[in-house]
Amino acid sequence: QPRQHLVSALTMAEKHRRDVLWEVRCLEQALEPLALPLILLKGAAYVIADLPASRGRTFGDIDILVPRAAIRDVERCLAAAGWRPSPVDRWDERFYREWMHQIPPMVHAYRDTIVDVHHTIVPPTARVKLSPSKLLETARPVANRPNVFTLGPAEMIVHSATHLFNEGEFGRSLRDLTDLDLLLRHFGSVPDFWPSLLARTEELDLLRPVFYALRYTQRILGTPVPDHVANAAGKRGPAGVRLRVMDALFERALAAEDLEDPDRSVSAARFMLYIRGHYLRLPPRLLLPHLVRKAALRGKA
């Protein structure tokens, strides 16, 4: 019986991989009039580049990165190909358009496939001020697909770490941590990867989430990270009591993903990290009304 479940899961994962490759081709065709490179992020990037992190991995949407100035044109082309903006109220529409790093998800009218259109990887309102051009300029083409691109190895790690450790969402946290483990193991064997990772995280001012990524992949999954890299990243991380608090929060949130009835300490850890994620992304003048609105909507559900 366990074998049947595993065979079924592998069959579904293979079908998902084929579906993703088909959707990427559809996106290529939809955006062809704009003459823009199709830059894929996270799961779709792992699949198109055939990285170890793609093996058996499933995900709900395809993330793409485009210049912010091209957002309206991208939406127009996607709409012509069948993708429609997901319905959101006026607050969420403004929340996405003005304050977030992506627009509202677009859903295909017939296939129900979801595309998330990003113009950067951290919100413009975040405390970290990242120049999107620094990501766009390092994108690299996929073999035999000259118009399909992924981020470079270091930038993939930075994006995955930022997504997991700065956004406060832990619904698929163990999968995201496994992504980081597989990416680090794969790219870590490439000469000059580790110095490049440290240099890029410094340049992008995102060493803190990468510090957490290196720390918890090591502690939970045994990821081989060179000591000098861990020590260099640790100089930008918290220390003392603050680090012990973050260890307690993250290790509970990361390791307890699939518990059907998590204990109160896990729920409390996730709640505090949820608030922390919003604090990192929004200034107080936006954070307070947003959280109040979220709480009110949750109370009505």
Side-chain angles (χ1 to χ4, degrees), residues 128-135 137-138 154-155 158 195-208 210 236:
V128 173
K129 303 303 178 185
L130 177 111
S131 171
S133 62
K134 292 182 178 180
L135 292 173
E137 68 190 14
T138 59
E155 291 78 15
V158 170
S196 170
L197 176 63
L198 291 175
R200 287 297 282 161
T201 54
E202 286 281 4
E203 183 180 357
L204 298 171
D205 196 22
L206 287 168
L207 190 53
R208 180 64 64 89
V210 172
R236 290 287 299 274

Side-chain angles (χ1 to χ4, degrees), residues 258-274:
D258 292 323
L259 293 179
E260 292 184 3
D261 185 24
D263 62 36
R264 291 182 179 179
S265 68
V266 172
S267 298
R270 289 185 171 183
F271 177 73
M272 285 186 278
L273 290 172
Y274 175 80

Side-chain angles (χ1 to χ4, degrees), residues 10-284:
L10 286 171
T11 302
M12 289 299 296
E14 176 58 24
K15 178 188 182 300
H16 183 81
R17 186 188 72 83
R18 293 197 305 269
D19 289 347
V20 169
L21 294 175
W22 167 256
E23 292 296 333
V24 169
R25 191 168 296 280
C26 291
L27 287 169
E28 278 188 271
Q29 294 172 351
L31 299 180
E32 186 177 8
L34 300 181
L36 285 174
L38 176 61
I39 303 177
L40 301 172
L41 301 174
K42 289 182 63 61
Y46 308 156
V47 169
I48 202 71
D50 196 25
L51 294 174
S54 71
R55 315 286 161 72
R57 190 186 194 277
T58 60
F59 46 94
D61 47 30
I62 294 178
D63 297 325
I64 66 174
L65 179 68
V66 303
R68 186 164 191 169
I71 287 285
R72 293 295 183 185
D73 289 335
V74 168
E75 285 184 276
R76 175 176 50 79
C77 287
L78 290 178
W83 277 277
R84 302 288 184 265
S86 56
V88 294
D89 61 26
R90 291 178 61 185
W91 173 274
D92 282 342
E93 181 76 17
R94 185 183 179 196
F95 180 77
Y96 274 107
R97 298 283 178 182
E98 295 185 20
W99 305 326
M100 286 295 100
H101 51 299
Q102 65 184 85
I103 63 173
M106 300 191 71
V107 185
H108 198 276
Y110 304 111
R111 300 193 299 273
D112 287 334
T113 53
I114 302 172
V115 174
D116 281 339
V117 181
H118 296 246
H119 52 84
T120 183
I121 63 171
V122 295
T125 56
R127 282 156 178 76
V128 173
K129 303 303 178 185
L130 177 111
S131 171
S133 62
K134 292 182 178 180
L135 292 173
L136 295 169
E137 68 190 14
T138 59
R140 53 183 61 188
V142 175
N144 302 317
R145 302 290 288 274
N147 200 47
V148 181
F149 289 66
T150 68
L151 299 180
E155 291 78 15
M156 278 191 185
I157 300 294
V158 170
H159 181 211
S160 185
T162 303
H163 173 78
L164 177 56
F165 292 103
N166 276 19
E167 294 196 7
E169 300 288 345
F170 290 89
R172 292 188 176 93
S173 57
L174 196 55
R175 183 204 68 178
D176 293 341
L177 193 71
T178 303
D179 283 349
L180 284 161
D181 170 70
L182 292 169
L183 291 172
L184 289 167
R185 289 177 187 271
H186 178 71
F187 293 129
S189 62
V190 177
D192 298 328
F193 166 72
W194 295 107
S196 170
L197 176 63
L198 291 175
R200 287 297 282 161
T201 54
E202 286 281 4
E203 183 180 357
L204 298 171
D205 196 22
L206 287 168
L207 190 53
R208 180 64 64 89
V210 172
F211 161 74
Y212 288 132
L214 298 178
R215 182 173 181 82
Y216 299 120
T217 52
Q218 276 189 301
R219 289 168 71 103
I220 296 173
L221 299 175
T223 308
V225 178
D227 289 341
H228 73 279
V229 174
N231 292 336
K235 293 177 181 178
R236 290 287 299 274
V241 173
R242 188 175 180 185
L243 180 57
R244 290 195 292 273
V245 169
M246 298 310 295
D247 282 345
L249 294 176
F250 275 125
E251 291 187 353
R252 280 173 173 79
L254 292 168
E257 174 186 340
D258 292 323
L259 293 179
E260 292 184 3
D261 185 24
D263 62 36
R264 291 182 179 179
S265 68
V266 172
S267 298
R270 289 185 171 183
F271 177 73
M272 285 186 278
L273 290 172
Y274 175 80
I275 299 297
R276 171 186 174 271
H278 279 74
Y279 169 77
L280 292 175
R281 291 186 294 167
L282 295 171

